[in-house]
Amino acid sequence: MNNFLKFAHRFTGIMMERLQRKAFFIYPEISRNMDFKTRVEELIQAFLEERKDIYLVDLKISAGNDVVVILDGDESLSIQDCLDASRAIEFNLDREEMDFSLQVMSAGLSEPLKLPRQYKKNVGRELEVTTEDGQVIKGELLEADEGKIVLVLRYRRPKLVGKGKEDVEEQREIPYQSIKRAMIVIKF
Protein backbone atom coordinates (compact mmCIF):
# COMPACT_ATOMS: atom_id res chain seq x y z
CA MET A 1 0.00 0.00 0.00
CA ASN A 2 2.90 2.31 0.78
CA ASN A 3 4.28 1.91 -2.78
CA PHE A 4 0.89 2.78 -4.25
CA LEU A 5 0.71 6.04 -2.26
CA LYS A 6 4.20 6.99 -3.43
CA PHE A 7 3.17 6.32 -7.05
CA ALA A 8 -0.13 8.24 -6.71
CA HIS A 9 1.64 11.23 -5.14
CA ARG A 10 4.33 11.24 -7.82
CA PHE A 11 1.77 10.77 -10.65
CA THR A 12 -0.41 13.63 -9.33
CA GLY A 13 2.62 15.92 -9.13
CA ILE A 14 3.63 15.12 -12.72
CA MET A 15 0.10 15.69 -14.02
CA MET A 16 -0.21 19.01 -12.18
CA GLU A 17 3.14 20.12 -13.59
CA ARG A 18 2.01 19.23 -17.14
CA LEU A 19 -1.29 21.05 -16.70
CA GLN A 20 0.50 24.17 -15.49
CA ARG A 21 2.89 24.08 -18.45
CA LYS A 22 0.07 23.53 -20.93
CA ALA A 23 -1.93 26.46 -19.55
CA PHE A 24 1.14 28.67 -19.86
CA PHE A 25 1.41 27.97 -23.61
CA ILE A 26 -2.28 28.39 -24.43
CA TYR A 27 -2.60 32.06 -23.54
CA PRO A 28 0.22 33.48 -25.69
CA GLU A 29 -1.14 31.59 -28.73
CA ILE A 30 -4.59 33.09 -28.27
CA SER A 31 -3.05 36.52 -27.95
CA ARG A 32 -0.97 36.00 -31.12
CA ASN A 33 -4.07 34.94 -33.07
CA MET A 34 -5.96 38.00 -31.87
CA ASP A 35 -3.05 40.21 -32.90
CA PHE A 36 -2.94 38.48 -36.30
CA LYS A 37 -6.65 39.05 -36.92
CA THR A 38 -6.37 42.69 -35.87
CA ARG A 39 -3.37 43.17 -38.16
CA VAL A 40 -5.22 41.62 -41.14
CA GLU A 41 -8.25 43.86 -40.49
CA GLU A 42 -6.00 46.94 -40.33
CA LEU A 43 -4.30 46.03 -43.63
CA ILE A 44 -7.64 45.51 -45.37
CA GLN A 45 -8.95 48.85 -44.08
CA ALA A 46 -5.78 50.63 -45.25
CA PHE A 47 -6.24 49.15 -48.74
CA LEU A 48 -9.94 50.06 -48.83
CA GLU A 49 -9.20 53.67 -47.81
CA GLU A 50 -7.18 54.01 -51.02
CA ARG A 51 -9.89 52.34 -53.13
CA LYS A 52 -13.25 53.90 -52.20
CA ASP A 53 -15.07 51.99 -54.98
CA ILE A 54 -14.29 48.63 -53.33
CA TYR A 55 -15.72 47.40 -50.03
CA LEU A 56 -15.36 44.45 -47.69
CA VAL A 57 -18.26 41.99 -47.70
CA ASP A 58 -16.83 39.36 -45.37
CA LEU A 59 -13.61 38.41 -43.59
CA LYS A 60 -13.10 34.93 -42.19
CA ILE A 61 -10.03 33.75 -40.30
CA SER A 62 -10.03 30.14 -39.17
CA ALA A 63 -8.19 28.70 -36.19
CA GLY A 64 -5.53 27.44 -38.62
CA ASN A 65 -5.01 31.00 -39.93
CA ASP A 66 -6.77 30.42 -43.24
CA VAL A 67 -7.77 33.95 -44.25
CA VAL A 68 -10.69 34.42 -46.67
CA VAL A 69 -11.44 37.99 -47.79
CA ILE A 70 -14.59 38.60 -49.85
CA LEU A 71 -14.71 41.96 -51.63
CA ASP A 72 -17.19 43.69 -53.92
CA GLY A 73 -17.20 46.91 -55.89
CA ASP A 74 -19.75 49.60 -56.65
CA GLU A 75 -19.34 49.03 -60.40
CA SER A 76 -17.40 45.81 -60.72
CA LEU A 77 -14.46 44.00 -59.19
CA SER A 78 -11.67 42.78 -61.44
CA ILE A 79 -9.10 40.06 -60.90
CA GLN A 80 -6.50 42.83 -60.68
CA ASP A 81 -8.43 44.42 -57.79
CA CYS A 82 -8.37 41.09 -55.91
CA LEU A 83 -4.67 40.71 -56.70
CA ASP A 84 -3.91 44.22 -55.41
CA ALA A 85 -5.81 43.53 -52.18
CA SER A 86 -4.00 40.21 -51.75
CA ARG A 87 -0.62 41.89 -52.19
CA ALA A 88 -1.53 44.69 -49.79
CA ILE A 89 -2.24 42.10 -47.11
CA GLU A 90 0.37 39.44 -47.81
CA PHE A 91 3.37 41.73 -48.38
CA ASN A 92 2.80 43.40 -45.01
CA LEU A 93 2.64 40.20 -42.97
CA ASP A 94 5.62 38.12 -41.91
CA ARG A 95 5.27 34.40 -42.66
CA GLU A 96 8.18 33.72 -40.30
CA GLU A 97 6.13 35.15 -37.46
CA MET A 98 2.77 33.57 -38.35
CA ASP A 99 2.04 30.93 -40.98
CA PHE A 100 -1.18 31.60 -42.92
CA SER A 101 -2.99 31.03 -46.20
CA LEU A 102 -4.79 33.87 -47.97
CA GLN A 103 -7.69 33.90 -50.43
CA VAL A 104 -9.09 37.15 -51.79
CA MET A 105 -12.20 36.82 -53.94
CA SER A 106 -15.19 38.71 -55.22
CA ALA A 107 -18.68 38.14 -53.93
CA GLY A 108 -20.06 35.95 -56.71
CA LEU A 109 -23.62 35.39 -57.82
CA SER A 110 -23.81 32.33 -55.61
CA GLU A 111 -23.21 34.43 -52.48
CA PRO A 112 -26.15 36.09 -50.69
CA LEU A 113 -26.33 39.89 -50.58
CA LYS A 114 -25.32 41.25 -47.18
CA LEU A 115 -24.66 44.99 -47.39
CA PRO A 116 -26.80 47.94 -48.56
CA ARG A 117 -24.09 48.79 -51.12
CA GLN A 118 -24.57 45.37 -52.70
CA TYR A 119 -28.32 45.92 -53.00
CA LYS A 120 -27.78 49.36 -54.58
CA LYS A 121 -25.41 47.83 -57.11
CA ASN A 122 -28.02 45.25 -58.13
CA VAL A 123 -31.03 47.56 -58.66
CA GLY A 124 -32.96 46.26 -61.67
CA ARG A 125 -32.08 42.61 -61.08
CA GLU A 126 -34.45 39.94 -59.89
CA LEU A 127 -33.98 38.79 -56.29
CA GLU A 128 -35.25 35.92 -54.21
CA VAL A 129 -35.60 37.15 -50.65
CA THR A 130 -36.21 34.89 -47.68
CA THR A 131 -37.57 36.82 -44.71
CA GLU A 132 -36.99 36.03 -41.03
CA ASP A 133 -40.48 34.51 -40.81
CA GLY A 134 -39.66 32.05 -43.65
CA GLN A 135 -41.59 33.77 -46.44
CA VAL A 136 -39.92 33.60 -49.88
CA ILE A 137 -40.49 36.64 -52.11
CA LYS A 138 -39.33 36.93 -55.73
CA GLY A 139 -39.27 40.26 -57.45
CA GLU A 140 -37.29 42.92 -59.27
CA LEU A 141 -35.21 45.16 -57.04
CA LEU A 142 -36.61 48.64 -57.67
CA GLU A 143 -34.64 50.61 -55.08
CA ALA A 144 -32.38 50.20 -52.07
CA ASP A 145 -31.49 52.71 -49.39
CA GLU A 146 -29.83 52.47 -45.98
CA GLY A 147 -32.88 51.00 -44.22
CA LYS A 148 -34.87 48.93 -46.70
CA ILE A 149 -35.29 47.55 -50.19
CA VAL A 150 -38.29 47.84 -52.52
CA LEU A 151 -39.23 44.91 -54.73
CA VAL A 152 -41.68 44.94 -57.66
CA LEU A 153 -43.71 41.74 -57.59
CA ARG A 154 -45.36 40.61 -60.83
CA TYR A 155 -47.78 37.69 -60.82
CA ARG A 156 -51.16 36.47 -62.08
CA ARG A 157 -54.16 35.98 -59.88
CA PRO A 158 -57.81 35.11 -60.39
CA LYS A 159 -59.98 38.12 -61.28
CA LEU A 160 -61.90 39.58 -58.39
CA VAL A 161 -65.02 39.81 -60.60
CA GLY A 162 -65.66 37.34 -63.40
CA LYS A 163 -63.67 34.47 -64.81
CA GLY A 164 -60.04 34.31 -65.82
CA LYS A 165 -56.83 35.75 -64.45
CA GLU A 166 -55.33 39.19 -64.35
CA ASP A 167 -51.76 40.50 -64.21
CA VAL A 168 -50.85 42.16 -60.95
CA GLU A 169 -47.87 44.37 -60.19
CA GLU A 170 -47.25 45.52 -56.64
CA GLN A 171 -44.38 47.04 -54.70
CA ARG A 172 -43.25 45.60 -51.40
CA GLU A 173 -40.88 47.28 -48.95
CA ILE A 174 -38.69 44.97 -46.92
CA PRO A 175 -36.47 46.33 -44.13
CA TYR A 176 -32.96 44.87 -43.94
CA GLN A 177 -33.62 43.59 -40.40
CA SER A 178 -36.32 41.23 -41.68
CA ILE A 179 -34.17 39.78 -44.50
CA LYS A 180 -32.70 36.42 -43.64
CA ARG A 181 -31.19 35.78 -47.09
CA ALA A 182 -31.29 37.55 -50.46
CA MET A 183 -29.99 35.91 -53.63
CA ILE A 184 -29.76 37.20 -57.18
CA VAL A 185 -31.89 35.09 -59.54
CA ILE A 186 -29.81 34.01 -62.51
CA LYS A 187 -31.71 33.87 -65.82
CA PHE A 188 -30.47 32.10 -68.92
Side-chain angles (χ1 to χ4, degrees):
M1 185 69 169
N2 197 14
N3 287 340
F4 175 76
L5 290 175
K6 286 180 183 177
F7 170 77
H9 179 68
R10 184 168 180 243
F11 180 77
T12 306
I14 292 170
M15 291 307 293
M16 290 302 290
E17 184 179 325
R18 284 185 182 169
L19 285 174
Q20 288 171 349
R21 269 190 277 157
K22 194 172 228 178
F24 174 75
F25 290 111
I26 290 173
Y27 296 113
E29 186 65 30
I30 290 171
S31 176
R32 275 184 39 190
N33 284 342
M34 292 300 285
D35 292 340
F36 177 72
K37 182 176 183 179
T38 304
R39 180 73 179 135
V40 170
E41 289 171 347
E42 289 171 355
L43 291 170
I44 292 170
Q45 289 306 320
F47 172 75
L48 294 175
E49 285 176 13
E50 293 177 13
R51 295 288 310 270
K52 299 291 184 188
D53 60 322
I54 298 174
Y55 51 92
L56 179 68
V57 175
D58 200 5
L59 170 65
K60 300 172 189 168
I61 301 177
S62 72
N65 291 333
D66 297 322
V67 180
V68 178
V69 179
I70 302 175
L71 301 174
D72 206 348
D74 290 327
E75 297 298 320
S76 65
L77 189 72
S78 68
I79 294 173
Q80 186 63 45
D81 295 331
C82 292
L83 187 61
D84 292 342
S86 177
R87 287 178 179 159
I89 297 166
E90 190 166 9
F91 289 169
N92 290 298
L93 291 174
D94 185 9
R95 285 195 184 271
E96 298 295 323
E97 183 180 313
M98 180 72 71
D99 189 31
F100 64 94
S101 70
L102 176 64
Q103 292 180 350
V104 178
M105 64 184 77
S106 67
L109 293 175
S110 62
E111 293 288 320
L113 302 179
K114 294 182 179 180
L115 304 173
R117 277 175 91 171
Q118 287 181 293
Y119 287 95
K120 290 175 187 175
K121 173 184 173 182
N122 289 293
V123 167
R125 289 188 140 168
E126 188 168 338
L127 297 183
E128 181 177 281
V129 177
T130 305
T131 60
E132 288 292 337
D133 60 2
Q135 186 180 12
V136 178
I137 305 166
K138 269 190 179 180
E140 180 185 333
L141 182 59
L142 183 64
E143 70 179 73
D145 59 27
E146 294 303 315
K148 67 181 179 329
I149 62 171
V150 178
L151 293 179
V152 176
L153 310 178
R154 295 180 180 96
Y155 56 93
R156 293 183 56 80
R157 71 171 179 205
K159 288 184 177 178
L160 299 175
V161 177
K163 293 182 179 181
K165 292 190 175 192
E166 63 183 354
D167 292 328
V168 177
E169 186 174 297
E170 70 175 86
Q171 293 183 9
R172 179 151 331 156
E173 290 185 3
I174 306 172
Y176 290 122
Q177 303 91 283
S178 65
I179 296 175
K180 184 175 186 178
R181 181 182 171 128
M183 298 290 294
I184 297 170
V185 176
I186 303 169
K187 293 183 180 181
F188 293 101

